[in-house]
Amino acid sequence: MNVDVCFSPKALTEDAVKGKIVVVIDVLRACSTIVTALAHGAREVFPVADRGEAGRVAAQLDPETSLLGGEQGGQRIEGYGAGNSPLEYEPTLVAGKIVVLTTSNGTRAFTSLKGPAETVVGCFLNLSRVVDFLRELDEQTNGVDENPHVLILCVGHDGCAALEDVLCAGMILHRLWSGRAPSGLADGARIALTQYRSVHSRLARSLFNCAHTQRLIALGFGDDVAYCARVDAIPLLPRYDENLLILDVADKERARELVSALPENEEELAEAVEV
Ligand code: MLT
């Protein structure tokens, strides 16, 4: 398998994306929010590039069965039903709804991709699920040729790299290759892998020191960071298909099981936390 890692959508050319399997990573917080909303029963998430587009899309939808979500400067946009905190996307708010989502960088990354073969969502919450997806792809084509070509797109922040996304990409590659990287690795993949390996024993601290973590803490969203750092908490793989982020049938079933296992009252919640 041919894998490379890119550190900002702004660094991508059309050729770099065309025909590739793309894993979009925005740990803090768009991809974590998307995975959570779909796990909690949202019908689909419609990522849009900006507020204007969000307004146009939302105007076509029934407000009873849709939710407008997103942030600007990290804060919920005035008049929206939710911000970009994954913790807001509870089943009671999102189940059965289309979520129209606009964020500063993450949702734009999806809408900017031109001609990928397939696009999926990655973050720490569904990390092993992404690894399994890549492994399956590799097995399907094993020995046939050098395909598939995979591009892990770290969304970053305003055109620059974001360490939390790079660490997530590196962890995916570390697990994909069970610690033994193949020869002839592309430089982007090597950078992500090396960065992850250099801090993996103190990952939580490294995530705490990331610039966007510090921004979110300053805005009062420290709990979001702790939530987004939960590796493998939501083993679902959202796919980007015809402008929408959706789960396949098997993952929808898994999502239903996840939601039914959620604590229903404070007593159950206390027990779950103790475990
Ligand atoms: C983004 O898309 O830039 C992020 O998800 C911002 C945020 O943390 O809300």
PDB file of all heavy atoms in Angstrom, residues 26-31 33 70-75 83-85 102-108 155-158 212 216 221 224, ligand 1:
ATOM      1  N   ASP A  26      -9.383  15.618  11.514  1.00  0.00           N
ATOM      2  CA  ASP A  26      -9.422  16.881  12.265  1.00  0.00           C
ATOM      3  C   ASP A  26      -9.846  16.514  13.687  1.00  0.00           C
ATOM      4  O   ASP A  26     -11.033  16.512  14.019  1.00  0.00           O
ATOM      5  CB  ASP A  26     -10.412  17.872  11.633  1.00  0.00           C
ATOM      6  CG  ASP A  26     -10.400  19.214  12.353  1.00  0.00           C
ATOM      7  OD1 ASP A  26      -9.566  19.418  13.256  1.00  0.00           O
ATOM      8  OD2 ASP A  26     -11.230  20.077  12.010  1.00  0.00           O
ATOM      9  N   VAL A  27      -8.839  16.166  14.501  1.00  0.00           N
ATOM     10  CA  VAL A  27      -9.109  15.653  15.847  1.00  0.00           C
ATOM     11  C   VAL A  27      -9.885  16.683  16.658  1.00  0.00           C
ATOM     12  O   VAL A  27     -10.877  16.370  17.326  1.00  0.00           O
ATOM     13  CB  VAL A  27      -7.769  15.295  16.546  1.00  0.00           C
ATOM     14  CG1 VAL A  27      -7.969  15.030  18.022  1.00  0.00           C
ATOM     15  CG2 VAL A  27      -7.102  14.106  15.853  1.00  0.00           C
ATOM     16  N   LEU A  28      -9.414  17.944  16.615  1.00  0.00           N
ATOM     17  CA  LEU A  28     -10.037  19.031  17.397  1.00  0.00           C
ATOM     18  C   LEU A  28     -10.626  20.049  16.427  1.00  0.00           C
ATOM     19  O   LEU A  28      -9.903  20.887  15.929  1.00  0.00           O
ATOM     20  CB  LEU A  28      -9.000  19.707  18.308  1.00  0.00           C
ATOM     21  CG  LEU A  28      -8.311  18.824  19.343  1.00  0.00           C
ATOM     22  CD1 LEU A  28      -7.212  19.585  20.080  1.00  0.00           C
ATOM     23  CD2 LEU A  28      -9.305  18.258  20.322  1.00  0.00           C
ATOM     24  N   ARG A  29     -11.954  19.996  16.190  1.00  0.00           N
ATOM     25  CA  ARG A  29     -12.846  19.020  16.743  1.00  0.00           C
ATOM     26  C   ARG A  29     -13.796  18.449  15.696  1.00  0.00           C
ATOM     27  O   ARG A  29     -14.618  17.609  16.001  1.00  0.00           O
ATOM     28  CB  ARG A  29     -13.727  19.712  17.811  1.00  0.00           C
ATOM     29  CG  ARG A  29     -12.984  20.196  19.033  1.00  0.00           C
ATOM     30  CD  ARG A  29     -13.818  21.120  19.911  1.00  0.00           C
ATOM     31  NE  ARG A  29     -14.087  22.389  19.240  1.00  0.00           N
ATOM     32  CZ  ARG A  29     -14.903  23.337  19.730  1.00  0.00           C
ATOM     33  NH1 ARG A  29     -15.548  23.140  20.851  1.00  0.00           N
ATOM     34  NH2 ARG A  29     -15.077  24.473  19.082  1.00  0.00           N
ATOM     35  N   ALA A  30     -13.671  18.942  14.433  1.00  0.00           N
ATOM     36  CA  ALA A  30     -14.725  18.642  13.457  1.00  0.00           C
ATOM     37  C   ALA A  30     -14.950  17.138  13.257  1.00  0.00           C
ATOM     38  O   ALA A  30     -16.092  16.666  13.277  1.00  0.00           O
ATOM     39  CB  ALA A  30     -14.427  19.320  12.122  1.00  0.00           C
ATOM     40  N   CYS A  31     -13.856  16.371  13.080  1.00  0.00           N
ATOM     41  CA  CYS A  31     -14.056  14.934  12.803  1.00  0.00           C
ATOM     42  C   CYS A  31     -14.590  14.206  14.034  1.00  0.00           C
ATOM     43  O   CYS A  31     -15.394  13.277  13.908  1.00  0.00           O
ATOM     44  CB  CYS A  31     -12.760  14.301  12.291  1.00  0.00           C
ATOM     45  SG  CYS A  31     -12.389  14.850  10.608  1.00  0.00           S
ATOM     46  N   THR A  33     -16.563  15.524  16.204  1.00  0.00           N
ATOM     47  CA  THR A  33     -17.981  15.907  16.268  1.00  0.00           C
ATOM     48  C   THR A  33     -18.802  15.109  15.258  1.00  0.00           C
ATOM     49  O   THR A  33     -19.903  14.622  15.563  1.00  0.00           O
ATOM     50  CB  THR A  33     -18.118  17.427  16.016  1.00  0.00           C
ATOM     51  OG1 THR A  33     -17.469  18.110  17.093  1.00  0.00           O
ATOM     52  CG2 THR A  33     -19.563  17.866  15.928  1.00  0.00           C
ATOM     53  N   GLY A  70     -22.169  24.438  14.125  1.00  0.00           N
ATOM     54  CA  GLY A  70     -20.879  24.930  13.668  1.00  0.00           C
ATOM     55  C   GLY A  70     -20.307  26.002  14.560  1.00  0.00           C
ATOM     56  O   GLY A  70     -20.945  26.452  15.518  1.00  0.00           O
ATOM     57  N   GLU A  71     -19.073  26.358  14.221  1.00  0.00           N
ATOM     58  CA  GLU A  71     -18.375  27.352  15.037  1.00  0.00           C
ATOM     59  C   GLU A  71     -17.686  28.406  14.189  1.00  0.00           C
ATOM     60  O   GLU A  71     -17.404  28.194  13.010  1.00  0.00           O
ATOM     61  CB  GLU A  71     -17.333  26.663  15.929  1.00  0.00           C
ATOM     62  CG  GLU A  71     -16.272  25.819  15.212  1.00  0.00           C
ATOM     63  CD  GLU A  71     -15.166  26.531  14.471  1.00  0.00           C
ATOM     64  OE1 GLU A  71     -14.759  27.618  14.915  1.00  0.00           O
ATOM     65  OE2 GLU A  71     -14.711  26.011  13.432  1.00  0.00           O
ATOM     66  N   GLN A  72     -17.433  29.511  14.860  1.00  0.00           N
ATOM     67  CA  GLN A  72     -16.529  30.503  14.308  1.00  0.00           C
ATOM     68  C   GLN A  72     -15.660  30.946  15.488  1.00  0.00           C
ATOM     69  O   GLN A  72     -16.205  31.235  16.567  1.00  0.00           O
ATOM     70  CB  GLN A  72     -17.301  31.686  13.744  1.00  0.00           C
ATOM     71  CG  GLN A  72     -16.442  32.501  12.827  1.00  0.00           C
ATOM     72  CD  GLN A  72     -17.226  33.646  12.202  1.00  0.00           C
ATOM     73  OE1 GLN A  72     -18.134  34.195  12.801  1.00  0.00           O
ATOM     74  NE2 GLN A  72     -16.861  34.005  10.998  1.00  0.00           N
ATOM     75  N   GLY A  73     -14.355  30.898  15.290  1.00  0.00           N
ATOM     76  CA  GLY A  73     -13.460  31.196  16.411  1.00  0.00           C
ATOM     77  C   GLY A  73     -13.678  30.233  17.579  1.00  0.00           C
ATOM     78  O   GLY A  73     -13.443  30.580  18.732  1.00  0.00           O
ATOM     79  N   GLY A  74     -14.148  29.019  17.259  1.00  0.00           N
ATOM     80  CA  GLY A  74     -14.355  28.002  18.302  1.00  0.00           C
ATOM     81  C   GLY A  74     -15.718  28.081  18.975  1.00  0.00           C
ATOM     82  O   GLY A  74     -16.151  27.132  19.616  1.00  0.00           O
ATOM     83  N   GLN A  75     -16.412  29.201  18.846  1.00  0.00           N
ATOM     84  CA  GLN A  75     -17.690  29.393  19.532  1.00  0.00           C
ATOM     85  C   GLN A  75     -18.877  29.100  18.612  1.00  0.00           C
ATOM     86  O   GLN A  75     -18.786  29.335  17.408  1.00  0.00           O
ATOM     87  CB  GLN A  75     -17.827  30.855  19.990  1.00  0.00           C
ATOM     88  CG  GLN A  75     -16.707  31.364  20.850  1.00  0.00           C
ATOM     89  CD  GLN A  75     -16.849  30.912  22.314  1.00  0.00           C
ATOM     90  OE1 GLN A  75     -17.612  30.002  22.616  1.00  0.00           O
ATOM     91  NE2 GLN A  75     -16.099  31.536  23.197  1.00  0.00           N
ATOM     92  N   GLY A  83     -22.961  24.085  18.525  1.00  0.00           N
ATOM     93  CA  GLY A  83     -21.650  24.585  18.101  1.00  0.00           C
ATOM     94  C   GLY A  83     -20.841  23.464  17.471  1.00  0.00           C
ATOM     95  O   GLY A  83     -21.381  22.645  16.719  1.00  0.00           O
ATOM     96  N   ASN A  84     -19.563  23.402  17.816  1.00  0.00           N
ATOM     97  CA  ASN A  84     -18.715  22.325  17.291  1.00  0.00           C
ATOM     98  C   ASN A  84     -18.151  21.492  18.435  1.00  0.00           C
ATOM     99  O   ASN A  84     -17.104  20.862  18.290  1.00  0.00           O
ATOM    100  CB  ASN A  84     -17.577  22.918  16.442  1.00  0.00           C
ATOM    101  CG  ASN A  84     -16.782  21.850  15.709  1.00  0.00           C
ATOM    102  OD1 ASN A  84     -17.324  20.815  15.348  1.00  0.00           O
ATOM    103  ND2 ASN A  84     -15.489  22.090  15.502  1.00  0.00           N
ATOM    104  N   SER A  85     -18.838  21.515  19.557  1.00  0.00           N
ATOM    105  CA  SER A  85     -18.399  20.668  20.661  1.00  0.00           C
ATOM    106  C   SER A  85     -19.058  19.306  20.489  1.00  0.00           C
ATOM    107  O   SER A  85     -20.285  19.217  20.454  1.00  0.00           O
ATOM    108  CB  SER A  85     -18.848  21.281  21.998  1.00  0.00           C
ATOM    109  OG  SER A  85     -18.722  20.307  23.008  1.00  0.00           O
ATOM    110  N   THR A 102     -20.796  23.569   9.748  1.00  0.00           N
ATOM    111  CA  THR A 102     -19.741  24.419   9.184  1.00  0.00           C
ATOM    112  C   THR A 102     -18.711  24.727  10.264  1.00  0.00           C
ATOM    113  O   THR A 102     -19.070  25.169  11.358  1.00  0.00           O
ATOM    114  CB  THR A 102     -20.308  25.720   8.564  1.00  0.00           C
ATOM    115  OG1 THR A 102     -19.209  26.530   8.143  1.00  0.00           O
ATOM    116  CG2 THR A 102     -21.158  26.533   9.528  1.00  0.00           C
ATOM    117  N   THR A 103     -17.442  24.447   9.970  1.00  0.00           N
ATOM    118  CA  THR A 103     -16.368  24.748  10.926  1.00  0.00           C
ATOM    119  C   THR A 103     -15.243  25.458  10.170  1.00  0.00           C
ATOM    120  O   THR A 103     -15.188  25.439   8.936  1.00  0.00           O
ATOM    121  CB  THR A 103     -15.819  23.465  11.592  1.00  0.00           C
ATOM    122  OG1 THR A 103     -15.075  22.711  10.643  1.00  0.00           O
ATOM    123  CG2 THR A 103     -16.934  22.613  12.180  1.00  0.00           C
ATOM    124  N   SER A 104     -14.339  26.042  10.918  1.00  0.00           N
ATOM    125  CA  SER A 104     -13.323  26.904  10.290  1.00  0.00           C
ATOM    126  C   SER A 104     -12.419  26.158   9.317  1.00  0.00           C
ATOM    127  O   SER A 104     -12.006  26.714   8.302  1.00  0.00           O
ATOM    128  CB  SER A 104     -12.460  27.554  11.366  1.00  0.00           C
ATOM    129  OG  SER A 104     -13.256  28.163  12.326  1.00  0.00           O
ATOM    130  N   ASN A 105     -12.102  24.923   9.635  1.00  0.00           N
ATOM    131  CA  ASN A 105     -11.159  24.186   8.779  1.00  0.00           C
ATOM    132  C   ASN A 105     -11.678  22.809   8.363  1.00  0.00           C
ATOM    133  O   ASN A 105     -11.550  22.415   7.206  1.00  0.00           O
ATOM    134  CB  ASN A 105      -9.824  23.988   9.520  1.00  0.00           C
ATOM    135  CG  ASN A 105      -9.174  25.308   9.894  1.00  0.00           C
ATOM    136  OD1 ASN A 105      -8.478  25.921   9.098  1.00  0.00           O
ATOM    137  ND2 ASN A 105      -9.402  25.771  11.121  1.00  0.00           N
ATOM    138  N   GLY A 106     -12.247  22.078   9.336  1.00  0.00           N
ATOM    139  CA  GLY A 106     -12.581  20.665   9.098  1.00  0.00           C
ATOM    140  C   GLY A 106     -13.595  20.437   7.993  1.00  0.00           C
ATOM    141  O   GLY A 106     -13.368  19.644   7.071  1.00  0.00           O
ATOM    142  N   THR A 107     -14.732  21.128   8.056  1.00  0.00           N
ATOM    143  CA  THR A 107     -15.772  20.847   7.063  1.00  0.00           C
ATOM    144  C   THR A 107     -15.316  21.309   5.670  1.00  0.00           C
ATOM    145  O   THR A 107     -15.641  20.682   4.665  1.00  0.00           O
ATOM    146  CB  THR A 107     -17.114  21.514   7.436  1.00  0.00           C
ATOM    147  OG1 THR A 107     -16.908  22.920   7.635  1.00  0.00           O
ATOM    148  CG2 THR A 107     -17.691  20.911   8.705  1.00  0.00           C
ATOM    149  N   ARG A 108     -14.523  22.377   5.643  1.00  0.00           N
ATOM    150  CA  ARG A 108     -13.980  22.861   4.356  1.00  0.00           C
ATOM    151  C   ARG A 108     -13.076  21.849   3.686  1.00  0.00           C
ATOM    152  O   ARG A 108     -12.966  21.813   2.470  1.00  0.00           O
ATOM    153  CB  ARG A 108     -13.135  24.107   4.581  1.00  0.00           C
ATOM    154  CG  ARG A 108     -13.962  25.308   4.739  1.00  0.00           C
ATOM    155  CD  ARG A 108     -13.127  26.519   4.948  1.00  0.00           C
ATOM    156  NE  ARG A 108     -14.037  27.538   5.438  1.00  0.00           N
ATOM    157  CZ  ARG A 108     -13.687  28.689   5.911  1.00  0.00           C
ATOM    158  NH1 ARG A 108     -12.420  29.001   5.979  1.00  0.00           N
ATOM    159  NH2 ARG A 108     -14.590  29.545   6.313  1.00  0.00           N
ATOM    160  N   VAL A 155      -6.033  18.017   8.721  1.00  0.00           N
ATOM    161  CA  VAL A 155      -6.688  19.283   8.369  1.00  0.00           C
ATOM    162  C   VAL A 155      -5.907  20.494   8.875  1.00  0.00           C
ATOM    163  O   VAL A 155      -5.815  21.520   8.212  1.00  0.00           O
ATOM    164  CB  VAL A 155      -8.138  19.282   8.917  1.00  0.00           C
ATOM    165  CG1 VAL A 155      -8.757  20.669   8.841  1.00  0.00           C
ATOM    166  CG2 VAL A 155      -8.976  18.277   8.120  1.00  0.00           C
ATOM    167  N   GLY A 156      -5.325  20.365  10.080  1.00  0.00           N
ATOM    168  CA  GLY A 156      -4.527  21.471  10.606  1.00  0.00           C
ATOM    169  C   GLY A 156      -5.368  22.689  10.947  1.00  0.00           C
ATOM    170  O   GLY A 156      -6.589  22.601  11.143  1.00  0.00           O
ATOM    171  N   HIS A 157      -4.710  23.838  10.951  1.00  0.00           N
ATOM    172  CA  HIS A 157      -5.380  25.058  11.397  1.00  0.00           C
ATOM    173  C   HIS A 157      -4.953  26.216  10.504  1.00  0.00           C
ATOM    174  O   HIS A 157      -3.764  26.544  10.441  1.00  0.00           O
ATOM    175  CB  HIS A 157      -4.994  25.325  12.859  1.00  0.00           C
ATOM    176  CG  HIS A 157      -5.803  26.387  13.496  1.00  0.00           C
ATOM    177  ND1 HIS A 157      -7.066  26.170  14.009  1.00  0.00           N
ATOM    178  CD2 HIS A 157      -5.540  27.697  13.695  1.00  0.00           C
ATOM    179  CE1 HIS A 157      -7.538  27.295  14.494  1.00  0.00           C
ATOM    180  NE2 HIS A 157      -6.632  28.239  14.314  1.00  0.00           N
ATOM    181  N   ASP A 158      -5.899  26.779   9.783  1.00  0.00           N
ATOM    182  CA  ASP A 158      -5.628  27.950   8.937  1.00  0.00           C
ATOM    183  C   ASP A 158      -4.415  27.772   8.020  1.00  0.00           C
ATOM    184  O   ASP A 158      -3.548  28.662   7.933  1.00  0.00           O
ATOM    185  CB  ASP A 158      -5.432  29.204   9.815  1.00  0.00           C
ATOM    186  CG  ASP A 158      -6.728  29.578  10.518  1.00  0.00           C
ATOM    187  OD1 ASP A 158      -7.790  29.038  10.139  1.00  0.00           O
ATOM    188  OD2 ASP A 158      -6.679  30.396  11.445  1.00  0.00           O
ATOM    189  N   HIS A 212      -3.914  24.110  19.487  1.00  0.00           N
ATOM    190  CA  HIS A 212      -5.386  24.209  19.443  1.00  0.00           C
ATOM    191  C   HIS A 212      -6.019  23.724  20.747  1.00  0.00           C
ATOM    192  O   HIS A 212      -7.081  24.202  21.144  1.00  0.00           O
ATOM    193  CB  HIS A 212      -5.947  23.484  18.232  1.00  0.00           C
ATOM    194  CG  HIS A 212      -7.375  23.868  17.944  1.00  0.00           C
ATOM    195  ND1 HIS A 212      -7.798  25.185  17.923  1.00  0.00           N
ATOM    196  CD2 HIS A 212      -8.492  23.119  17.723  1.00  0.00           C
ATOM    197  CE1 HIS A 212      -9.102  25.235  17.695  1.00  0.00           C
ATOM    198  NE2 HIS A 212      -9.547  23.997  17.579  1.00  0.00           N
ATOM    199  N   LEU A 216      -8.629  25.904  22.863  1.00  0.00           N
ATOM    200  CA  LEU A 216      -9.936  25.401  23.309  1.00  0.00           C
ATOM    201  C   LEU A 216     -10.079  25.510  24.823  1.00  0.00           C
ATOM    202  O   LEU A 216     -11.150  25.848  25.335  1.00  0.00           O
ATOM    203  CB  LEU A 216     -10.133  23.953  22.835  1.00  0.00           C
ATOM    204  CG  LEU A 216     -10.358  23.797  21.325  1.00  0.00           C
ATOM    205  CD1 LEU A 216     -10.348  22.330  20.914  1.00  0.00           C
ATOM    206  CD2 LEU A 216     -11.682  24.441  20.898  1.00  0.00           C
ATOM    207  N   PHE A 221     -13.351  24.958  26.619  1.00  0.00           N
ATOM    208  CA  PHE A 221     -13.711  23.659  26.020  1.00  0.00           C
ATOM    209  C   PHE A 221     -12.710  22.550  26.359  1.00  0.00           C
ATOM    210  O   PHE A 221     -12.475  21.641  25.554  1.00  0.00           O
ATOM    211  CB  PHE A 221     -13.818  23.791  24.495  1.00  0.00           C
ATOM    212  CG  PHE A 221     -14.974  24.627  24.022  1.00  0.00           C
ATOM    213  CD1 PHE A 221     -14.768  25.785  23.300  1.00  0.00           C
ATOM    214  CD2 PHE A 221     -16.279  24.247  24.299  1.00  0.00           C
ATOM    215  CE1 PHE A 221     -15.824  26.566  22.849  1.00  0.00           C
ATOM    216  CE2 PHE A 221     -17.350  25.024  23.861  1.00  0.00           C
ATOM    217  CZ  PHE A 221     -17.128  26.179  23.141  1.00  0.00           C
ATOM    218  N   ASP A 224     -13.854  19.009  25.917  1.00  0.00           N
ATOM    219  CA  ASP A 224     -13.872  18.507  24.532  1.00  0.00           C
ATOM    220  C   ASP A 224     -12.560  17.815  24.194  1.00  0.00           C
ATOM    221  O   ASP A 224     -12.542  16.782  23.517  1.00  0.00           O
ATOM    222  CB  ASP A 224     -14.045  19.665  23.529  1.00  0.00           C
ATOM    223  CG  ASP A 224     -15.473  20.159  23.464  1.00  0.00           C
ATOM    224  OD1 ASP A 224     -16.303  19.673  24.269  1.00  0.00           O
ATOM    225  OD2 ASP A 224     -15.754  21.025  22.623  1.00  0.00           O
TER     226      ASP A 224
HETATM  227  C1  MLT B   1     -12.032  23.473  12.683  1.00  0.00           C
HETATM  228  O1  MLT B   1     -12.724  22.992  11.788  1.00  0.00           O
HETATM  229  O2  MLT B   1     -11.209  24.379  12.496  1.00  0.00           O
HETATM  230  C2  MLT B   1     -12.127  22.971  14.122  1.00  0.00           C
HETATM  231  O3  MLT B   1     -12.969  21.909  14.218  1.00  0.00           O
HETATM  232  C3  MLT B   1     -12.299  24.154  15.027  1.00  0.00           C
HETATM  233  C4  MLT B   1     -12.881  23.851  16.393  1.00  0.00           C
HETATM  234  O4  MLT B   1     -12.217  23.302  17.275  1.00  0.00           O
HETATM  235  O5  MLT B   1     -14.051  24.175  16.613  1.00  0.00           O
END
